[in-house]
Amino acid sequence: MDFRARRKKAVAAAQAVGVDALMVTHLPDVRYLTGFTGSNAAVVLFGGKSVLFTDGRYTAQAKAEVAGVRVVIEKKAAAVVACGWMEEAGVRRCGFDATQTSVAALESMRRAVSGSVRRGMFVPVGALVARLREVKDSDEIAAIRAAALVGCELFDGMLGFIQPGMAEVEVAAALEYAARLRGAEGMSFETIVASGERSALPHGRATTAKLPKRGFCTLDFGVVLDGYCSDMTRTVHLGKALPGEWEVYDSVLEAQTAAVARVAPGVTAGEVDEAARSVLRQSGLDKFFSHSTGHGVGLEIHEGPRLATQQTQVLEAGMVVTIEPGVYMPGKYGMRIEDMVLVTASGGEVLTPSLKAWIEL
Ligand code: ZN
Ligand code: ZN
């Protein structure tokens, strides 16, 4: 991972918005800029220097993970120590990420500098580092690719395991156990297993409900590998389909395929969303598609860009996004199909090639 190149980009982004230092406290951003994975950290980029602030629990870890960055170990909250350092170093305007800084955290930062420099010191600059993280470098793409493939293996393994009468949590447990055996650091979010009527819940986390003899079962899950998340959804059918069910699935699959095909650099996020939505509109199903089409994935499970109606953000090569339209009919059933797609120089590459055709178990 070329952390130095990332820090250079962050410095340029900070200069472009008119601050002389950048304070980074959002932990995925800290990891992105330095490689540090501890839970208490702040990074300051100022005057060609990069300094990581953390506490004594992480002395050995910081030494092992971080290179080319000065590490300051102190007992107090990292951001507070960082502010004292900035005042001494002569920082006048420090940019901070207003989307990740609580009012209380900002207050303690302000209190950590003396009254004479406090005025004008802290400048909200938005999610500068998170914006950089949207376009992945080759190391990140390799990590995401590996995580996505583990996800596919897990799904394929579930096909021989899932049976009517089994509790949703049993399915989740087997999937998560298999994920660990394949090296996952953890799941990237709480595994969704939504069966029968519960498949109509877009975020139906696994419960003790039993899988029905006949009906849909949606699996939405992801693993974390080397810090990077995967995210995929497949919906299978248990037993023979009732009239109409296959047609709805086919529309969702068509919508999903259309949106995947629309992914390319230069296309807006809203255009990709519309590609999915317009297919469902043709069969009158768009009113049951109650969420956005997708999101970026990386060090965080949900990051930019957001693929939603009228989003004007333009896709760029190196972004990794999900394409996940679904249809949810309250009290009846629902389904979703989700792939991760890498934006390439000329289009999109699906990173989660597991079967999407109708699967009857
Ligand atoms: Zn998902
Ligand atoms: Zn997703």
Side-chain angles (χ1 to χ4, degrees):
M1 305 270 177
D2 193 350
F3 298 111
R4 189 176 297 272
R6 296 177 187 173
R7 291 195 296 270
K8 242 177 128 174
K9 280 189 197 160
V11 167
Q15 279 166 353
V17 296
V19 292
D20 56 357
L22 187 64
M23 156 92 94
V24 179
T25 53
H26 184 47
L27 293 173
D29 293 344
V30 168
R31 180 173 189 160
Y32 180 75
L33 294 176
T34 66
F36 183 64
T37 62
S39 66
N40 171 37
V43 171
V44 172
L45 306 178
F46 172 64
K49 291 191 202 74
S50 309
V51 189
L52 170 76
F53 301 86
T54 183
D55 64 68
R57 291 172 296 167
Y58 293 116
T59 308
Q61 188 177 324
K63 202 174 227 171
E65 291 178 337
V66 178
V69 174
R70 200 178 137 204
V71 177
V72 174
I73 307 276
E74 273 212 45
K75 257 204 180 106
K76 282 187 280 185
V80 168
V81 182
C83 288
W85 181 89
M86 284 196 292
E87 181 172 356
E88 256 174 54
V91 172
R92 286 279 160 268
R93 286 168 62 76
C94 164
F96 70 95
D97 184 347
T99 69
Q100 297 291 348
T101 306
S102 70
V103 173
L106 179 59
E107 251 328 292
S108 64
M109 280 156 54
R110 287 171 56 77
R111 273 201 306 271
V113 297
S114 50
S116 53
V117 297
R118 191 174 296 149
R119 199 149 175 255
M121 174 73 157
F122 296 103
V123 184
V125 293
L128 294 186
V129 179
R131 281 304 281 265
L132 294 178
R133 282 172 37 214
E134 290 180 1
V135 175
K136 275 70 182 170
D137 58 38
S138 56
D139 292 331
E140 295 186 285
I141 291 168
I144 292 170
R145 200 183 280 283
L149 282 177
V150 167
C152 288
E153 285 172 27
L154 294 174
F155 174 72
D156 296 347
M158 283 299 108
L159 291 179
F161 178 79
I162 293 173
Q163 274 180 15
M166 196 175 259
E168 290 171 351
V169 285
E170 261 181 280
V171 177
L175 187 133
E176 292 174 8
Y177 183 69
R180 281 296 206 174
L181 292 182
R182 280 175 175 74
E185 292 154 35
M187 305 308 287
S188 47
F189 57 93
E190 239 181 284
T191 301
I192 290 174
V193 181
S195 66
E197 275 186 25
R198 293 192 73 254
S199 61
L201 305 171
H203 276 109
R205 299 206 166 97
T207 66
T208 51
K210 300 269 199 290
L211 305 197
K213 280 206 172 64
R214 180 182 262 196
F216 287 102
C217 179
T218 298
L219 298 175
D220 185 353
F221 62 94
V223 299
V224 184
L225 216 58
D226 277 335
Y228 284 83
C229 297
S230 76
D231 186 8
M232 69 183 281
T233 307
R234 291 293 184 271
T235 302
V236 299
H237 198 280
L238 297 154
K240 272 231 144 320
L242 293 172
E245 289 181 339
W246 184 85
E247 287 79 359
V248 176
Y249 184 86
D250 205 40
S251 294
V252 173
L253 179 55
E254 197 190 317
Q256 204 266 351
T257 311
V260 168
R262 196 81 180 86
V263 172
V267 174
T268 68
E271 284 167 335
V272 176
D273 181 86
E274 180 55 23
R277 222 164 280 280
S278 63
V279 170
L280 293 174
R281 205 173 289 129
Q282 282 160 28
S283 40
L285 290 167
D286 56 314
K287 58 179 175 291
F288 300 111
F289 175 22
S290 47
H291 53 76
S292 55
T293 291
H295 53 89
V297 195
L299 285 170
E300 289 182 280
I301 181 62
H302 290 120
E303 45 182 64
R306 210 166 86 79
L307 274 54
T309 308
Q310 291 178 346
Q311 285 286 313
T312 55
Q313 187 174 359
V314 173
L315 297 186
E316 294 172 54
M319 287 178 168
V320 176
V321 297
T322 68
I323 301 290
E324 50 179 306
V327 160
Y328 314 93
M329 301 188 173
K332 289 165 84 180
Y333 56 77
M335 66 205 69
R336 175 169 64 256
I337 304 168
E338 174 180 28
D339 281 320
M340 293 171 76
V341 182
L342 167 67
V343 184
T344 64
S346 58
E349 180 196 342
V350 173
L351 302 179
T352 43
S354 282
L355 197 65
K356 290 190 283 193
W358 175 268
I359 296 174
E360 223 161 71
L361 296 176

